[in-house]
Amino acid sequence: MTSDGETTCEEPLILHCFADYGTESEVLSDFGNVIRVGIDPQDTNESAPIKADAHIEEKEWDLPIKDGTTFDLGLFHPVCSRWAATTSISGDPDEHENMIPSARILAEKYCDHYIIENVPRAPLNDPVVLNGRMFGMPIEYERAFETSFKVPQPPREKRFLTTDGSSEKAETSSFFFSERSREWWAAVKNYSPRSYPKSHIAKNAIPAPFIYYLVRVWLMVYEDEQGISEGRVDYSDYDERMDIERKSEDNRQLDEF
């Protein structure tokens, strides 16, 4: 989207903030050009890393984004320490800053649509909550997502699909990330194991199936707004219509006897 609101046929432009490693950019880069912002950004994937602090409250504005620049989608990971279970057990939550308002400021200023991710107990607006059970993963890893577009809440499945079959218990959790190898965590969350530390993949990386689900919903909105979906045939009831036609044909043949 250009600064004057005109649509283009170019790839979507995606902003990824609070993302030093930017694991999720592996997914985002499949759907557009990704600009990634972090305090210590690592050159780990196809996204373009920029060194900057996306937490802008109570200090001078220093994010190197030109006025008039608009991103089609923004993904934000404000630090979750203030609401994390480990902090409430062994620390003082009030010692950690609330970076969610900073994410909203940037999202509303620069992005047509956005996703803000955090733990479920964080103060997000009407979030959709995703966990490993919903995607057949052997880990819980529940996360909440505030979005500028409506995302359907998937049903909460009761069992995990583990390597030993269906189970009511997860194989492990990010609290015990050392129980499995970096490669195992990468395989479960569907990322490359080569570019990232094990602790980051296990504890911080959003599972790729979560990102695919959210991006799929965003693409429907984006394509409608861009006019890409105009004239597209609706096949959502195709199977139902075919069943009716087959039954009608079967009944017609019976009438011939």
Side-chain angles (χ1 to χ4, degrees), residues 128-182:
V128 60
V129 177
L130 304 179
N131 63 54
R133 296 174 186 268
M134 299 172 183
F135 299 91
M137 300 169 63
I139 57 173
E140 181 68 39
Y141 207 83
E142 193 165 65
R143 286 297 183 272
F145 301 87
E146 174 183 326
T147 60
S148 61
F149 48 95
K150 183 65 176 177
V151 177
Q153 174 65 60
R156 294 172 178 267
E157 300 295 335
K158 294 182 179 179
R159 290 178 176 269
F160 295 100
L161 184 59
T162 70
T163 52
D164 293 324
S166 180
S167 172
E168 294 182 354
K169 296 182 179 180
E171 289 192 21
T172 187
S173 79
S174 55
F175 290 115
F176 305 103
F177 71 95
S178 60
E179 291 185 342
R180 298 287 190 274
S181 67
R182 176 176 63 175

Side-chain angles (χ1 to χ4, degrees), residues 74 100 104 108 114-118 123-128 144-149:
I100 292 175
R104 289 198 187 105
E108 292 170 2
Y114 66 83
I115 300 166
I116 301 176
E117 173 268 340
N118 220 282
L124 298 173
N125 295 330
D126 192 24
V128 60
F145 301 87
E146 174 183 326
T147 60
S148 61
F149 48 95

Side-chain angles (χ1 to χ4, degrees), residues 13-17 25 33-37 47-50 65 71:
L13 188 60
I14 301 173
L15 177 64
H16 190 188
C17 283
S25 287
N33 295 310
V34 181
I35 306 299
R36 180 164 51 85
V37 176
S47 59
I50 295 177
I65 299 177
F71 293 87

Side-chain angles (χ1 to χ4, degrees), residues 1-226:
M1 180 79 70
T2 61
S3 59
D4 59 358
E6 293 296 321
T7 58
T8 70
C9 295
E10 298 177 357
E11 281 194 320
L13 188 60
I14 301 173
L15 177 64
H16 190 188
C17 283
F18 302 94
D20 282 349
Y21 286 102
T23 318
E24 300 79 8
S25 287
E26 284 193 19
V27 176
L28 297 175
S29 295
D30 288 338
F31 302 98
N33 295 310
V34 181
I35 306 299
R36 180 164 51 85
V37 176
I39 295 176
D40 184 22
Q42 307 296 307
D43 189 10
T44 51
N45 49 53
E46 293 183 7
S47 59
I50 295 177
K51 182 179 177 62
D53 190 352
H55 181 41
I56 62 175
E57 288 190 307
E58 299 181 0
K59 66 174 183 290
E60 294 297 323
W61 185 273
D62 62 357
L63 202 64
I65 299 177
K66 295 180 180 179
D67 288 340
T69 299
T70 302
F71 293 87
D72 296 291
L73 177 68
L75 175 61
F76 298 82
H77 308 276
V79 178
C80 66
S81 302
R82 187 179 180 91
W83 304 281
T86 51
T87 302
S88 61
I89 294 172
S90 59
D92 182 0
D94 292 335
E95 292 181 354
H96 300 273
E97 293 183 276
N98 178 5
M99 299 185 182
I100 292 175
S102 289
R104 289 198 187 105
I105 290 172
L106 295 177
E108 292 170 2
K109 181 176 177 63
Y110 290 114
C111 302
D112 288 343
H113 290 288
Y114 66 83
I115 300 166
I116 301 176
E117 173 268 340
N118 220 282
V119 294
R121 68 178 70 185
L124 298 173
N125 295 330
D126 192 24
V128 60
V129 177
L130 304 179
N131 63 54
R133 296 174 186 268
M134 299 172 183
F135 299 91
M137 300 169 63
I139 57 173
E140 181 68 39
Y141 207 83
E142 193 165 65
R143 286 297 183 272
F145 301 87
E146 174 183 326
T147 60
S148 61
F149 48 95
K150 183 65 176 177
V151 177
Q153 174 65 60
R156 294 172 178 267
E157 300 295 335
K158 294 182 179 179
R159 290 178 176 269
F160 295 100
L161 184 59
T162 70
T163 52
D164 293 324
S166 180
S167 172
E168 294 182 354
K169 296 182 179 180
E171 289 192 21
T172 187
S173 79
S174 55
F175 290 115
F176 305 103
F177 71 95
S178 60
E179 291 185 342
R180 298 287 190 274
S181 67
R182 176 176 63 175
E183 289 73 18
W184 186 90
W185 280 104
V188 166
K189 290 192 175 182
N190 200 13
Y191 290 115
S192 168
R194 300 181 185 88
S195 303
Y196 317 102
K198 180 172 70 170
S199 61
H200 172 76
I201 298 178
K203 294 182 176 182
N204 303 117
I206 302 172
F210 294 12
I211 303 299
Y212 279 114
Y213 177 70
L214 295 166
V215 167
R216 186 167 69 248
V217 180
W218 164 70
L219 281 170
M220 295 174 67
V221 176
Y222 171 76
E223 290 177 359
D224 282 344
E225 293 177 347
Q226 296 289 306

